[in-house]
Amino acid sequence: MNNAEQQFLKELDDKLWKSADRLRNNLDAANYKHVVLGVIFLKYVSDAFEERQQELRELFTRNNGDDNIYYMPRDDYSSDEEYQKAVSAELELHEYYQEKNVFWVPREARWHFLKTTAAQAIGSVIGHDENGNALKLRSIAWLLDNALEAIETYKIAGKLANPKLKGVLPRIGRYEVENHNLTELINKFSDTSFSNPVYNGEKLNLHSKDILGHVYEYFLGQFALAEGKQGGQYYTPKSIVTLIVEMLEPYKGRVYDPAMGAGGFFVSNDKFIEAHADEKHYKAAEQKKHISVYGQESNPTTWKLAAMNMAIRGIDFNFGKKNADSFLDDQHPDLRADYVMANPPFNIKDWWHARLEGDVRWQYGTPPKGNANFAWMQHMLHHLNDTGSMALLLANGSMSSNTNNEGEIRKSLVDADLVECMVALPGQLFTNTQIPACIWLLTKDKKNGFSLDKRKVDRRGKFLFIDARNLGFMKDRVLRDFAPEDLEKIVQAFHRWQQDDNYEDIKGFCYAATLEDIKKHDYVLTPGRYVGAAEQVEDAEPFSEKIARLSSQLKEQFEKSGRLEAEITKNLTELGYDA
């Protein structure tokens, strides 16, 4: 995005967040996110519907000389009134929206209706039911819930119009938000141009889907910060997600996340394809058709957040029939993915069940019953096809622990030549834990990886270690983040090792190891053991001269401190204080 687009989105984020943040007077973050995200979703589906409707109206009414199969000639109707009625009726046919993957939005869920109705007095008649009985506005929460219910349950020819959304959308009435707060939220979203936006007189190349998708993602991040530990269960920091996607480069194929949270990896993958369209000479919209998204999530609320996130992004998805435990109720038992990406919860203790004894997934050793780290890894490997690659975030202990069979599992993975790269991350990256983390990158084929147009060097029997603990910056007093140049440094090191015969190590940062190297370290995979110490820049100033210079500076500072102390004492005495 250019500077104008970035600034537009930043100011939009601030404005909408300040409006939404007022709800915190009445609700905690874990609850008010559902209210705000529900409103964002209604705005998105309505905008997308209206954009398609405007496109169709132009197709119906304009004879531009092209082969326009949609064109409805005015001469076929006896009057303008009859013609406009025919056009309006045609605009309400579900098929026109379905063919463009646009959700069907019933009249009572369209944004114009919501906005105008929210401005009316409570108790006003806003329509009639199918039996002709008057419908009265009970509350603004009821109005929004009625819209969400309609989108989920509306049927055409006896079939759900939006089957992907069944049981997914939140309900707002349960949180007892005051009418004026919800009306203000609706008005804030109404006075922002999501279609054809302009910033400082410049028309922006941003569509409604792009803007509302960005807003949804921004709000997820803000809610995660507000919720702290609980928020980390559904949100992985954006820079870490971006890092993993950029390293794996999933251009096409089946992408799977067994602990998907709100679906951040899928969104980042979607952006990755768009960002590299020009570089790889393909059309992003066409390339996205070659990606299939599969996910699973045990938390019912988070499962719904992910489905809404995909819907807003226009990403087709398969998240199983329900929220479910990935170990005990695998929603994709036959899936063999090309890419697997995940940030499973670290060091889960209470995960084991007797039914998991002897499970086919434990090909490299039975995971300890008191820690699920290697269970997640083997579950992901089980779902990886014969040329697939994967990445997952785990606690640092997974790289070195030898307790409860973990060391033997790690040895089996290394000996099977599945481990491709280990990345040690800096601390304080996550909102929900201070546990240091690492990235495991594994692949089933180090000779011929699955890619769009990428040549890979034969790296069988070779392993890359990257120590990124010194990268990043403190974005506030508690959280660390990666700058774009940090991400680029890590990604480039990995891709150089994968693709360049002339790859060279960088002391203190990356090292290409052999199986013999790893054996010498007893199969411990901590990058710091392999990369060595960074080369220090030699100090040209002689030691004796440096000591003399620093001593002189210190003497000056002491003298200055003494003068300041005397001046303060004098001023306090003049004011009548005993210094």
Side-chain angles (χ1 to χ4, degrees), residues 212-481:
L212 284 162
H214 167 86
V215 169
Y216 190 93
E217 185 180 13
Y218 173 78
F219 273 42
L220 279 176
Q222 292 299 104
F223 287 131
L225 286 173
E227 291 180 60
K229 185 172 183 178
Q230 185 178 350
Q233 295 175 3
Y234 62 81
Y235 183 80
T236 303
K238 184 178 176 181
S239 61
I240 302 175
V241 173
T242 301
L243 173 61
I244 286 176
V245 171
E246 292 279 351
M247 292 180 83
L248 283 183
E249 296 186 301
Y251 284 108
K252 61 181 180 181
R254 296 171 296 276
V255 180
Y256 174 55
D257 183 348
M260 66 182 179
F265 280 110
F266 303 133
V267 171
S268 187
N269 192 34
D270 193 65
K271 291 180 181 177
F272 173 81
I273 291 173
E274 290 179 353
H276 292 273
D278 292 339
E279 171 195 332
K280 299 297 181 182
H281 310 294
Y282 59 72
K283 291 184 178 179
E286 292 301 314
Q287 190 61 35
K288 288 178 186 180
K289 294 178 182 177
H290 300 294
I291 286 283
S292 301
V293 165
Y294 298 84
Q296 183 155 346
E297 171 60 45
S298 61
N299 184 291
T301 301
T302 305
W303 187 79
K304 293 177 181 180
L305 287 178
M308 287 171 61
N309 203 2
M310 298 305 101
I312 283 181
R313 289 286 177 179
I315 300 173
D316 193 25
F317 62 93
N318 182 343
F319 291 164
K321 295 179 180 179
K322 59 180 180 177
N323 61 287
D325 185 299
S326 292
F327 298 128
L328 296 172
D329 190 6
D330 193 343
Q331 294 290 293
H332 309 285
D334 300 321
L335 173 66
R336 296 298 177 267
D338 301 289
Y339 299 97
V340 183
M341 301 178 280
N343 173 26
F346 298 165
N347 301 330
I348 291 183
K349 292 182 172 62
D350 186 20
W351 71 281
W352 181 260
H353 190 280
R355 290 190 351 236
L356 296 174
E357 192 70 54
D359 195 287
V360 68
R361 290 169 288 187
W362 315 148
Q363 186 176 349
Y364 303 97
T366 302
K369 297 178 181 179
N371 193 317
N373 287 344
F374 284 98
W376 283 114
M377 189 180 297
Q378 294 190 81
H379 174 83
M380 292 169 67
L381 281 168
H382 175 75
H383 282 290
L384 202 62
N385 69 20
D386 290 340
T387 57
S389 296
M390 59 173 271
L392 79 159
L393 286 152
L394 285 181
N396 273 0
S398 63
M399 298 188 290
S400 58
S401 172
N402 287 314
T403 59
N404 299 320
N405 205 39
E406 289 187 336
E408 288 303 311
I409 297 174
R410 191 170 56 250
K411 178 179 182 299
S412 297
L413 294 169
V414 172
D415 287 340
D417 210 13
L418 292 169
V419 179
E420 191 172 22
C421 178
M422 299 297 302
V423 182
L425 299 172
Q428 296 178 267
L429 287 172
F430 301 91
T431 60
N432 62 325
T433 181
Q434 294 301 310
I435 296 175
C438 60
I439 302 174
W440 287 69
L441 289 108
L442 299 94
T443 183
K444 292 273 186 86
D445 188 352
K446 286 188 178 179
K447 182 180 179 182
N448 294 303
F450 185 92
S451 62
L452 187 68
D453 60 358
K454 182 175 60 178
R455 171 186 173 271
K456 289 176 68 175
V457 176
D458 187 344
R459 292 300 187 193
R460 286 176 290 182
K462 305 292 177 58
F463 310 82
L464 181 68
F465 290 92
I466 297 176
D467 190 345
R469 289 177 297 172
N470 293 323
L471 298 183
F473 66 97
M474 295 302 295
K475 61 189 296 186
D476 55 39
R477 63 184 183 85
V478 251
L479 278 179
R480 195 175 191 86
D481 202 359

Side-chain angles (χ1 to χ4, degrees), residues 133-145:
N133 299 316
L135 286 174
K136 295 182 179 181
L137 179 61
R138 302 176 194 172
S139 67
I140 307 304
W142 172 84
L143 174 71
L144 296 172
D145 282 349

Side-chain angles (χ1 to χ4, degrees), residues 6-7 22 42 105 112 126 150 153 234 279 282 299 367 414 422 446 541:
Q6 291 178 19
Q7 192 61 29
R22 294 189 183 185
L42 285 171
V105 183
H112 177 73
I126 60 172
T153 61
Y234 62 81
E279 171 195 332
Y282 59 72
N299 184 291
V414 172
M422 299 297 302
K446 286 188 178 179
E541 186 178 12

Side-chain angles (χ1 to χ4, degrees), residues 38-50 53 92 103-118 126 135 140-154 161-162 165 169-171 186 190:
V39 173
I40 291 174
F41 183 81
L42 285 171
K43 178 63 174 167
Y44 163 73
V45 292
S46 187
D47 276 15
F49 184 86
E50 288 176 7
Q53 203 167 54
E92 295 298 320
F103 290 112
W104 175 259
V105 183
R107 294 181 188 275
E108 62 267 38
R110 295 175 194 174
W111 193 259
H112 177 73
F113 175 81
L114 296 175
K115 180 188 175 184
T116 54
T117 305
I126 60 172
L135 286 174
I140 307 304
W142 172 84
L143 174 71
L144 296 172
D145 282 349
N146 189 55
L148 293 161
E149 177 76 17
I151 291 171
E152 277 196 14
T153 61
Y154 193 87
N162 305 307
L165 298 179
L169 305 182
R171 296 297 184 267
I186 291 170
S190 297

